[in-house]
Amino acid sequence: MMERYDVVVIGAGPGGLAAATSAKQHGAERVLVFDRNCYCGGVLNQCIHDGFGLVRYKEALTGPEYAEKACREADKANVEIKTGAMVLSISKDRVMSVVCGNGFMKVQAGAIVLATGCRERTRGAISIPGTRPAGIYTAGVVQNLVNIKNIMIGKRVVVLGSGDIGLIMARRLTLEGAKVLAVIEILPEPCGLQRNISQCLYDFDIPLYVSHTVSRIIGKRKLEAVEISEVDDNKQPISGTERIIECDSLVLSVGLIPENEVALTAGIALNEKTNGIITDDYLQSSVPGIFACGNCRSVMDLADLVSEQGEVAGANATCYIKGEKMKIYMEKQSVFKKGFPEKGTVTCPLCPNGCSIGEYGEKVVGNKCKRGELYFRQEQIDPRRTLTTTVKGIDGMLHPIKIENVRKNELFYKIQNLDKN
Amino acid sequence: MIHMSLMITDVLIIGAGAVGCAVARELSRYKLKVVVVDKEYDVAAGTSGRNSAVVHAGFNNKPGSLMARLCVEGNAGFETLCKELDVPYKKTGKFVVAFDEEDQKTLQIIYKQGLNNGCKGLRILDGEELKRRLPDVGGISAMESIDTAIFDPFLYTVALAENASCNGVLFRFGEEVKNIEKIEGKERERYSVTTDKRTYKARYVVNCAGVGSVRVAQMLGFNQYKLYPCRGEYLILDKIAEKFLQVPVYPAPKKGIGGLGVHLTPTIHGNIIIGPSAEYIEDGEDYSSTKLIIDKLFDEAKKLLPTLERKHIIGAYSGIRSKQAPPSEGGFHDFLIQEEPECKGFINLIGIESPGMTASMPIARMVCNIIGHSIDLNPNLSFNPIRKGILKFSDQNDEEKDRLIKINPEYGEVVCRCQNVTKAEICQAIENPLGVKSIASIKYRVWATTGRCNGGYCFARIAEILEKDYGINPEDITLRGKGSEYFIGRVK
Ligand SMILES: Cc1cc2nc3c(=O)[nH]c(=O)nc-3n(C[C@H](O)[C@H](O)[C@H](O)COP(=O)(O)OP(=O)(O)OC[C@H]3O[C@@H](n4cnc5c(N)ncnc54)[C@H](O)[C@@H]3O)c2cc1C
Ligand SMILES: Cc1cc2nc3c(=O)[nH]c(=O)nc-3n(C[C@H](O)[C@H](O)[C@H](O)COP(=O)(O)OP(=O)(O)OC[C@H]3O[C@@H](n4cnc5c(N)ncnc54)[C@H](O)[C@@H]3O)c2cc1C
Ligand code: SF4
């Protein structure tokens, strides 16, 4: 017998959880979320750093904290969640083929919300010349290995790409004892957030090479070194500028691509360039009754906005089955500033405005509110940071922890003496 | 002094590529003690895992040559062999495309040559028919070969080895042959072969060391052989590219080049490979890809398939031809397969370049015959030619999927999402009969991590399975065995 639901959501990341919660709140009776992971929260679980939730919850949460909030909201709304279940395909009449530990099943839905997230671009996708040894990873995989699987990748690391995940991992690996030798960016400007450039690289004196790329990978069995080169305006390596950096790990942070394996099985139209699901004003895909939100639609760098979008998609999925008028989704851009922090200023991390605060004579300028001035003053006399790391529990698993207000120059001391706290 | 252990065997095969493994499998039909050694940590770590994966028909080779004869013979038996060994195989046919008048003349020549060699199923198509059959491909006319096929070269080699191993052959990995001595006067122990781990005494030594075969031959003083390593680079395209092409498409070969020209070949797994280039290099094991060739391959492929785009590339690899013909000469020299007259029982296989995969089984039978000349080969009565591979969950129908999960819930856990490989399959790959446990060995056995995410999702999961379910420490998880460790240990 085939199970029937009003709304089925695929993916239990922030997008999917918000969609399911909102579908329930808008009156859909039977709402089910599938996730192939054995836990909820999607990729947020491995993002143990803080900075999530500044928009939605007005506080700086870590990824797992944000995920927990989203899960609790879904729970409260009585959403059914089935983890460890992978949707293999969807037919045009919205029947899904699903595998899980209990067997193979078919589930039909009145409406579907796709919230399948994204994947990382890889070395293949950007075709770096050279050998193919062990020691090349994508940043998200490293994040997963280090923060969840308790596996350390190496001692001497080069990061290719200045996207946020790469910057965050540069700091994370440094705190765990690796030497991050360089972050290499092919564009003339870094593409991560200003606050990450400043708190992940500048804080630890990690060199950032813009207008550079890794032009060759060296090492037969294990990575031995990378060759970096300056690039010209067409992003081509300039010969004569090569330099060798000896390292045992190369971490790629070269972009995210919407994950749309399942969407393709339903014949949903994707954007040729970005691979994202094409939606109308109501977040509905080219197949009626199938909606999309979050990174599988277009990669967003703020989980808060994903949740917001999920709410609209979930509400509209409900409207669809009830034949009610749907809500128009207004595209929002993250307001966080990207690229180099302005010279001589401090990037305020306290809210999404991310003001560049500096001094003009005796006066503090650039801040939009008083908190920024206090932050700036503190930075000048005694900078403080939020330390996020993991501890090993008695269960043998890693647990994320967050310690606020740590002196910047005591971060290493703190992390090495965690047991004593 | 370090004590080296000693092992006595009838036949020692050096090299666990397709040729060495085919020889091992054929010899396992007889009552013989056979050992295969390879310096790498799995089979097919050399050229056998790095080629175009085409079962050639045999029209490219010089009439009367071993290459021509063994290729045609290999092609004829390949499908049955793949059935016995449960190896993915598909008879796709192949097109050789002409772009100008000179090419058209070449087509006529290879067409006649093919007939001469005994190839069946060759046809010349005019431009119109070509357009109709392959609308995405450029060109003015073509030759079609119906008997050409594609297969999985890695699984083929694995299957030969697993079957040989089940029939009693011993495989030893991570052992490089360093020295060979002839022992006078002992009929059963004519050679003493020393690796970095132990010494073998063997009656027969079969040199299947591929690019390394000349060095092995030199260990016994055969200095007359020469190989010129010639690298062929490839690009791998996303599965999405599959809709463009279901048949291998080759340009008509140009005179004097050491290969068959850059071609487009669908793989048995639904990707397309572009390549190979042909550069003579010094180091016979330098499997690098170069920027120059990556760009060039793409441009050449675009000529054959104008709809191709750069974003379709998901990876690159390269293989190395063991060419006996020096760069100045170009072209092909015939396979050299012989027992050395002054060294009875020492069998050299040198210059086994393309079509060496196709011809591997006939080559193996030749080696058996050579051995059969000097001793009686008694049949191994328990020989079983059948080998079962790992069942592919994603190929099963819905009911079968359900049944499998009910028997083993690990079928319900999809580990590699691009290729839909389940944990049950990963575990079977880890528990392979040859006992190799590297990420690459798992990858090639179940085709995990090979999708467009390059293992982004499943690599960490596989590492976790190795650690949690098989008790392997993170620092011992490798890409291809010793020296290719991924991790330095735990974080906490
Ligand atoms: C490695 C990485 C690090 C990131 N770091 C940050 C950060 O620091 N700060 C930030 O604001 N944003 C970060 N992001 C962006 C972040 O992904 C988004 O902010 C947000 O988590 C996206 O939510 P989502 O719901 O769209 O996708 P996800 O959180 O990725 O959730 C998608 C879920 O769908 C499931 N799924 C997919 N296909 C199927 C299927 N066929 N069947 C069943 N389940 C399926 C997946 O298992 C996953 O759990 C990061 C992204 C990645 C990939
Ligand atoms: C670019 C390219 C494309 C090709 N395309 C095709 C095709 O489409 N169809 C086809 O039929 N053929 C093709 N071929 C040819 C085919 O791949 C080879 O003929 C075949 O793989 C040769 O197998 P092998 O076992 O002799 O060598 P290999 O597979 O190279 O095996 C030799 C083994 O010996 C080991 N070894 C070397 N020295 C030592 C030592 N001292 N001690 C211990 N072990 C040692 C190596 O580690 C290696 O594993 C192609 C070849 C190339 C290069
Ligand atoms: S100064 Fe105020 S407004 Fe500006 S980023 Fe800081 S907290 Fe936000």
Side-chain angles (χ1 to χ4, degrees), chain A residues 337 342 345-348 350-351 353-360 363-377:
Chain A
K337 287 194 218 131
E342 277 168 49
T345 69
V346 166
T347 311
C348 176
L350 300 179
C351 92
N353 285 338
C355 298
S356 303
I357 310 177
E359 228 173 354
Y360 190 76
K363 226 173 141 277
V364 176
V365 290
N367 55 314
K368 291 205 178 102
C369 81
K370 192 74 194 159
R371 287 198 297 157
E373 182 174 345
L374 295 176
Y375 177 79
F376 180 78
R377 287 295 177 212

Side-chain angles (χ1 to χ4, degrees), chain A residues 94 110-112 268-269 277-293 297 312-313 316-317 320-321 326-327 329:
Chain A
R94 295 185 296 276
I112 295 175
I268 288 171
I277 296 175
I278 300 172
T279 59
D280 60 14
D281 287 351
Y282 309 103
L283 295 175
Q284 186 168 215
S285 74
S286 64
V287 176
I290 303 186
F291 296 77
C293 65
R297 178 178 167 270
V312 178
N316 284 347
Y320 176 85
I321 48 173
M326 293 191 265
K327 207 162 122 188
Y329 173 74

Side-chain angles (χ1 to χ4, degrees), chain A residues 11 14-15 35-37 42-43 47 49 52 87 115-117 165 262 295 301 303:
Chain A
D35 201 295
R36 60 183 170 211
N37 289 330
V43 78
C47 306
H49 56 281
F52 295 85
V87 179
T116 47
I165 315 172
V262 216
N295 284 344
D301 39 36

Side-chain angles (χ1 to χ4, degrees), chain A residues 115-250:
Chain A
T116 47
C118 60
R119 70 172 92 206
E120 298 181 273
R121 282 180 76 198
T122 63
R123 172 185 177 191
I126 53 171
S127 21
I128 312 174
T131 51
R132 277 160 295 278
I136 304 168
Y137 322 82
T138 55
V141 169
V142 176
Q143 193 173 48
N144 186 281
L145 288 168
V146 173
N147 292 344
I148 295 185
K149 304 226 157 60
N150 195 9
I151 291 177
M152 186 65 184
I153 56 161
K155 292 202 174 85
R156 295 172 60 82
V157 181
V158 170
V159 178
L160 175 60
S162 61
D164 288 308
I165 315 172
L167 300 176
I168 300 261
M169 286 322 291
R171 172 176 66 187
R172 186 80 194 97
L173 290 168
T174 305
L175 284 170
E176 292 299 350
K179 175 99 189 132
V180 177
L181 301 157
V183 173
I184 317 281
E185 171 58 53
I186 199 163
L187 298 172
E189 275 270 325
C191 43
L193 301 176
Q194 283 185 358
R195 53 175 285 179
N196 284 339
I197 304 284
S198 118
Q199 298 207 345
C200 298
L201 301 188
Y202 293 177
D203 273 8
F204 300 93
D205 297 321
I206 297 171
L208 168 64
Y209 297 89
V210 291
S211 298
H212 274 72
T213 192
V214 170
S215 46
R216 191 158 57 98
I217 286 168
I218 300 163
K220 264 188 183 161
R221 305 177 71 85
K222 173 77 193 169
L223 183 66
E224 288 163 14
V226 295
E227 176 195 272
I228 67 168
S229 303
E230 221 177 301
V231 296
D232 62 20
D233 295 343
N234 299 320
K235 298 190 198 164
Q236 294 301 312
I238 303 171
S239 92
T241 63
E242 299 88 354
R243 182 160 18 141
I244 304 285
I245 304 181
E246 279 175 32
C247 57
D248 59 19
S249 309
L250 174 65

